[in-house]
Amino acid sequence: MEPKPIFVLPLPFMLFSIHWFLLALHGSAAESSIYIVHMDKSLFPRVFTTHHDWFECIIDSTKSATLRHSSRQSQKLVYSYNQAMYGFSAVLTSEELAAVKNSLGFVAAYPDRTATIDTTHTFEFLSLDSSSGLWHASNFGEDVIVGVIDSGVWPENESFKDDGMTKKIPNKWKGICQEGQDFNTSICNFKLIGARYFNKGVIAANSKDKISMNSARDTAGHGTHTSSTVAGNYVGGASYFGYAKGVARGIAPRARLAMYKVIWDEGRVASDVMAGMDQAIADGVDVISISMGFDGVPLYEDPIAIASFAAMEKGVVVSSSAGNAGPDLGTLHNGIPWLLTVAAGTIDRTFGTLILGNGQTITGWTLFPANALVENFPLIYNKNTSACNSVKLLSKVAEEGIILCDSVSDPELIIKQRSYVNKASLLGAVFISDQPLENEEGHSRSPSIVISAQDAPSVIKYAKSQENPTASIKFQQTFVGIKSAPAVAGYSSRGPSPSYPGVLKPDIMAPGSNVLAAFIPHRVAAAIGTNVFLPSDYNILSGTSMACPHASGVAALLKAAHPEWSAAAIRSALVTTASPLDNTQSPIRDQGYRAQYASPLAIGAGQIDPNKALDPGLIYDATPQDYVNLLCALKYTQKQILTITRSASYNCAKPSFDLNYPSFIAFYSNKTRSGSHKFRRTVTNVGGGAATYRAKVTQPKGSVLTVSPEILTFRYKNEKLSYDVMINYSMYKKENISYGDLVWIEDGGAQRVRSPIVVAPGGIV
């Protein structure tokens, strides 16, 4: 392995940094920090009505007379406490802290501390950190083998160490650690048990090009990121330049990993992808995670569809990404009936704060890769100018303070604003936008922060009303528990599937925006200005590529907990237990259409819920022949079907569009604008024993949906019962899509088996 490069900051940047520091010192005569102060409740002065009044009086008494009469007087009190503790937290200088310590009733004070959260945090967001549930039932995915089809791996990253792994690899494993350029067989271990590379296709397509890294070593970072998300080991102190700091671990931290490199700097072709998946199946993997897809190809020409059929036959779960072409409908790839298709959602985490001179603190968004001193600078705002849309205008005020840019709704414009700010080398900038910065454009090259349109009026009011408004920007801060989350990412591709619209895709949504995971040290992970580029062993990336390995990891956990389940059963458990609600218990929102709730064409059944998937109550299973019956109904020729099945042992005796799938989608004619559709479904009782379930329906607008029978009574575990769904529908608004759900609710039990329903005009396909 080559040594890490040393990145030297050029002299202009060093001078620029010193300039920030000097201005920060000049702008703040005394540095302030947040302190937590404990007070003696028994000494509460009865002259005050509430303890809050007492604490405010204590803080006010610490301020100098000059500051008390200044327009820049800040609201120092952060919180008052009266239950868990008695006292307050406040922004105090060292002099003010000393004065507080001399106050009546003072007990103790100490600086506020940044909590260490467990990163990538997504496992916590998915409630996998509970004292019981899927993690523990699966022993963290122990000995399940996940094959990742991607751009390779950086094996030296700590996420791939084998500390804590059992020293006996499962006997079914037939793979190898393939030697290649800068990649020795000894690099593999009990975590990364296999690594292979496939580039014959790309070499054939580009015969004059030389492969720059002819091995399974990652030169893009994509494969390292996705594989560590699936099953990375525990790594303490991981962060992205101080953001999201904590203990990194994959969704299935005790699962084994095997990398199949098929993505190259020189290209990526279907033949290599097929070869990689083919080898993964032969090697004996349990789950395949593939964060890529092919657009505009029928199932019988799609290498992922073809290879995943073979995987499904052997009980291998294939988890795939929906694509990043949203929010338009019909942009999804991997809409393959026999695999899992995953959409991308946001998580409840953000970074950085804007602090106004009056003490108001606003949580915003920044990933500026340094702890810059942007403190108590003048806040500059002029509504009558468009300074942020011009490098020339910005340069004129570059050293005067923090620029407050006008609100923009066009996502392209905010990207331009950020670019202009970078080029102008500003001391600081505040952007206003509700457009999600969920992709790599959201990484900050300048000491800047984005605040929401909701928070903007108070900032603008302060900037316009004060004679000398000031502000500070705090970097390398991480906040979790942000509401509302998740929302479906605007970039996430939407159904219906062009390859086969008759199955509702995507299946589920998983965390995909701003995910922290392992990265490679030889690729730029961040930049400052236009000429400083920085590496990192961990990177924050966004995309359905990041969502897919979350679902792959959960599938690995389920495989460990239920080794007898088929790939269809695991997919069913994930779909019927997914949640359509965010952390405010409201329907999940759509960031592609800010005023709307997300439809199943964007999120499938909803956000993946691993612990509930462990015990789904009922499952919708399917056999390979069931999928062949669907191909027959599509009137695929015998040869076309054979390209997928590889065997003539299947027959077309019972062609049927009615696949036993855990969701429903029906299309009405654009001409008649009405119609009906009947579905037949069979569910298997995987609960503890006898159980009774009753149907509850939320009707799609314009439709009448009936279920027969409405009650399913199971006598024993693994019993199968069938029911029919009839949808009579009409176009309730011109070309509108409507959706609802069918939920089977267990009598006296906690099981709720939910299936999303979509009714849509045929023209959207």
Side-chain angles (χ1 to χ4, degrees), residues 339-354:
L339 55 64
L340 182 71
T341 311
V342 188
T346 64
I347 59 178
D348 63 338
R349 182 172 62 191
T350 192
F351 310 102
T353 52
L354 172 69

PDB file of all heavy atoms in Angstrom, residues 339-354:
ATOM      1  N   LEU A 339     -36.224  -9.123  -7.014  1.00  0.00           N
ATOM      2  CA  LEU A 339     -35.239  -8.559  -6.093  1.00  0.00           C
ATOM      3  C   LEU A 339     -35.843  -7.416  -5.294  1.00  0.00           C
ATOM      4  O   LEU A 339     -36.995  -7.033  -5.484  1.00  0.00           O
ATOM      5  CB  LEU A 339     -33.951  -8.143  -6.806  1.00  0.00           C
ATOM      6  CG  LEU A 339     -33.971  -7.181  -8.004  1.00  0.00           C
ATOM      7  CD1 LEU A 339     -34.459  -5.810  -7.642  1.00  0.00           C
ATOM      8  CD2 LEU A 339     -32.564  -7.081  -8.596  1.00  0.00           C
ATOM      9  N   LEU A 340     -35.054  -6.865  -4.386  1.00  0.00           N
ATOM     10  CA  LEU A 340     -35.480  -5.770  -3.524  1.00  0.00           C
ATOM     11  C   LEU A 340     -34.974  -4.461  -4.112  1.00  0.00           C
ATOM     12  O   LEU A 340     -33.769  -4.317  -4.383  1.00  0.00           O
ATOM     13  CB  LEU A 340     -34.921  -5.968  -2.110  1.00  0.00           C
ATOM     14  CG  LEU A 340     -35.308  -4.936  -1.054  1.00  0.00           C
ATOM     15  CD1 LEU A 340     -36.777  -5.074  -0.675  1.00  0.00           C
ATOM     16  CD2 LEU A 340     -34.428  -5.104   0.194  1.00  0.00           C
ATOM     17  N   THR A 341     -35.863  -3.492  -4.307  1.00  0.00           N
ATOM     18  CA  THR A 341     -35.502  -2.194  -4.878  1.00  0.00           C
ATOM     19  C   THR A 341     -35.668  -1.123  -3.817  1.00  0.00           C
ATOM     20  O   THR A 341     -36.739  -0.988  -3.218  1.00  0.00           O
ATOM     21  CB  THR A 341     -36.392  -1.867  -6.092  1.00  0.00           C
ATOM     22  OG1 THR A 341     -36.427  -2.999  -6.968  1.00  0.00           O
ATOM     23  CG2 THR A 341     -35.857  -0.663  -6.841  1.00  0.00           C
ATOM     24  N   VAL A 342     -34.607  -0.346  -3.589  1.00  0.00           N
ATOM     25  CA  VAL A 342     -34.546   0.531  -2.429  1.00  0.00           C
ATOM     26  C   VAL A 342     -34.456   2.007  -2.837  1.00  0.00           C
ATOM     27  O   VAL A 342     -33.586   2.395  -3.612  1.00  0.00           O
ATOM     28  CB  VAL A 342     -33.340   0.176  -1.537  1.00  0.00           C
ATOM     29  CG1 VAL A 342     -33.388   0.963  -0.227  1.00  0.00           C
ATOM     30  CG2 VAL A 342     -33.296  -1.329  -1.255  1.00  0.00           C
ATOM     31  N   ALA A 343     -35.366   2.807  -2.289  1.00  0.00           N
ATOM     32  CA  ALA A 343     -35.347   4.259  -2.462  1.00  0.00           C
ATOM     33  C   ALA A 343     -34.525   4.892  -1.345  1.00  0.00           C
ATOM     34  O   ALA A 343     -34.200   4.249  -0.347  1.00  0.00           O
ATOM     35  CB  ALA A 343     -36.771   4.809  -2.441  1.00  0.00           C
ATOM     36  N   ALA A 344     -34.188   6.168  -1.509  1.00  0.00           N
ATOM     37  CA  ALA A 344     -33.336   6.868  -0.540  1.00  0.00           C
ATOM     38  C   ALA A 344     -34.121   7.905   0.242  1.00  0.00           C
ATOM     39  O   ALA A 344     -34.898   8.675  -0.316  1.00  0.00           O
ATOM     40  CB  ALA A 344     -32.168   7.549  -1.256  1.00  0.00           C
ATOM     41  N   GLY A 345     -33.883   7.916   1.555  1.00  0.00           N
ATOM     42  CA  GLY A 345     -34.512   8.898   2.428  1.00  0.00           C
ATOM     43  C   GLY A 345     -33.489   9.674   3.229  1.00  0.00           C
ATOM     44  O   GLY A 345     -32.302   9.336   3.271  1.00  0.00           O
ATOM     45  N   THR A 346     -33.946  10.723   3.871  1.00  0.00           N
ATOM     46  CA  THR A 346     -33.093  11.537   4.722  1.00  0.00           C
ATOM     47  C   THR A 346     -33.029  10.922   6.121  1.00  0.00           C
ATOM     48  O   THR A 346     -33.794  10.026   6.462  1.00  0.00           O
ATOM     49  CB  THR A 346     -33.633  12.968   4.829  1.00  0.00           C
ATOM     50  OG1 THR A 346     -34.925  12.934   5.471  1.00  0.00           O
ATOM     51  CG2 THR A 346     -33.783  13.594   3.451  1.00  0.00           C
ATOM     52  N   ILE A 347     -32.099  11.435   6.929  1.00  0.00           N
ATOM     53  CA  ILE A 347     -32.028  11.025   8.324  1.00  0.00           C
ATOM     54  C   ILE A 347     -32.167  12.254   9.205  1.00  0.00           C
ATOM     55  O   ILE A 347     -32.152  13.387   8.720  1.00  0.00           O
ATOM     56  CB  ILE A 347     -30.728  10.255   8.629  1.00  0.00           C
ATOM     57  CG1 ILE A 347     -29.489  11.107   8.326  1.00  0.00           C
ATOM     58  CG2 ILE A 347     -30.683   8.966   7.848  1.00  0.00           C
ATOM     59  CD1 ILE A 347     -28.187  10.413   8.663  1.00  0.00           C
ATOM     60  N   ASP A 348     -32.279  12.023  10.507  1.00  0.00           N
ATOM     61  CA  ASP A 348     -32.590  13.110  11.440  1.00  0.00           C
ATOM     62  C   ASP A 348     -31.322  13.776  11.987  1.00  0.00           C
ATOM     63  O   ASP A 348     -31.163  13.943  13.183  1.00  0.00           O
ATOM     64  CB  ASP A 348     -33.433  12.575  12.599  1.00  0.00           C
ATOM     65  CG  ASP A 348     -32.697  11.527  13.420  1.00  0.00           C
ATOM     66  OD1 ASP A 348     -31.742  10.915  12.891  1.00  0.00           O
ATOM     67  OD2 ASP A 348     -33.077  11.325  14.592  1.00  0.00           O
ATOM     68  N   ARG A 349     -30.416  14.143  11.090  1.00  0.00           N
ATOM     69  CA  ARG A 349     -29.140  14.692  11.529  1.00  0.00           C
ATOM     70  C   ARG A 349     -28.784  15.915  10.700  1.00  0.00           C
ATOM     71  O   ARG A 349     -29.032  15.964   9.504  1.00  0.00           O
ATOM     72  CB  ARG A 349     -28.041  13.632  11.379  1.00  0.00           C
ATOM     73  CG  ARG A 349     -26.674  14.088  11.846  1.00  0.00           C
ATOM     74  CD  ARG A 349     -25.680  12.937  11.844  1.00  0.00           C
ATOM     75  NE  ARG A 349     -25.460  12.389  10.512  1.00  0.00           N
ATOM     76  CZ  ARG A 349     -24.811  11.257  10.272  1.00  0.00           C
ATOM     77  NH1 ARG A 349     -24.345  10.536  11.281  1.00  0.00           N
ATOM     78  NH2 ARG A 349     -24.645  10.826   9.038  1.00  0.00           N
ATOM     79  N   THR A 350     -28.215  16.915  11.359  1.00  0.00           N
ATOM     80  CA  THR A 350     -27.723  18.086  10.654  1.00  0.00           C
ATOM     81  C   THR A 350     -26.475  18.598  11.364  1.00  0.00           C
ATOM     82  O   THR A 350     -26.092  18.086  12.416  1.00  0.00           O
ATOM     83  CB  THR A 350     -28.805  19.180  10.547  1.00  0.00           C
ATOM     84  OG1 THR A 350     -28.373  20.167   9.614  1.00  0.00           O
ATOM     85  CG2 THR A 350     -29.070  19.833  11.894  1.00  0.00           C
ATOM     86  N   PHE A 351     -25.843  19.621  10.795  1.00  0.00           N
ATOM     87  CA  PHE A 351     -24.535  20.053  11.269  1.00  0.00           C
ATOM     88  C   PHE A 351     -24.433  21.578  11.283  1.00  0.00           C
ATOM     89  O   PHE A 351     -24.796  22.234  10.312  1.00  0.00           O
ATOM     90  CB  PHE A 351     -23.430  19.500  10.358  1.00  0.00           C
ATOM     91  CG  PHE A 351     -23.536  18.024  10.098  1.00  0.00           C
ATOM     92  CD1 PHE A 351     -24.036  17.553   8.898  1.00  0.00           C
ATOM     93  CD2 PHE A 351     -23.136  17.112  11.056  1.00  0.00           C
ATOM     94  CE1 PHE A 351     -24.131  16.191   8.649  1.00  0.00           C
ATOM     95  CE2 PHE A 351     -23.226  15.743  10.815  1.00  0.00           C
ATOM     96  CZ  PHE A 351     -23.728  15.281   9.613  1.00  0.00           C
ATOM     97  N   GLY A 352     -23.909  22.118  12.400  1.00  0.00           N
ATOM     98  CA  GLY A 352     -23.554  23.529  12.474  1.00  0.00           C
ATOM     99  C   GLY A 352     -24.667  24.445  12.934  1.00  0.00           C
ATOM    100  O   GLY A 352     -25.854  24.118  12.855  1.00  0.00           O
ATOM    101  N   THR A 353     -24.262  25.623  13.451  1.00  0.00           N
ATOM    102  CA  THR A 353     -25.233  26.613  13.915  1.00  0.00           C
ATOM    103  C   THR A 353     -24.820  28.015  13.490  1.00  0.00           C
ATOM    104  O   THR A 353     -23.638  28.322  13.324  1.00  0.00           O
ATOM    105  CB  THR A 353     -25.379  26.604  15.450  1.00  0.00           C
ATOM    106  OG1 THR A 353     -24.075  26.706  16.046  1.00  0.00           O
ATOM    107  CG2 THR A 353     -26.060  25.350  15.939  1.00  0.00           C
ATOM    108  N   LEU A 354     -25.829  28.860  13.363  1.00  0.00           N
ATOM    109  CA  LEU A 354     -25.658  30.300  13.164  1.00  0.00           C
ATOM    110  C   LEU A 354     -26.099  30.977  14.453  1.00  0.00           C
ATOM    111  O   LEU A 354     -27.208  30.733  14.928  1.00  0.00           O
ATOM    112  CB  LEU A 354     -26.508  30.782  11.986  1.00  0.00           C
ATOM    113  CG  LEU A 354     -26.575  32.305  11.783  1.00  0.00           C
ATOM    114  CD1 LEU A 354     -25.225  32.852  11.335  1.00  0.00           C
ATOM    115  CD2 LEU A 354     -27.670  32.664  10.773  1.00  0.00           C
TER     116      LEU A 354
END
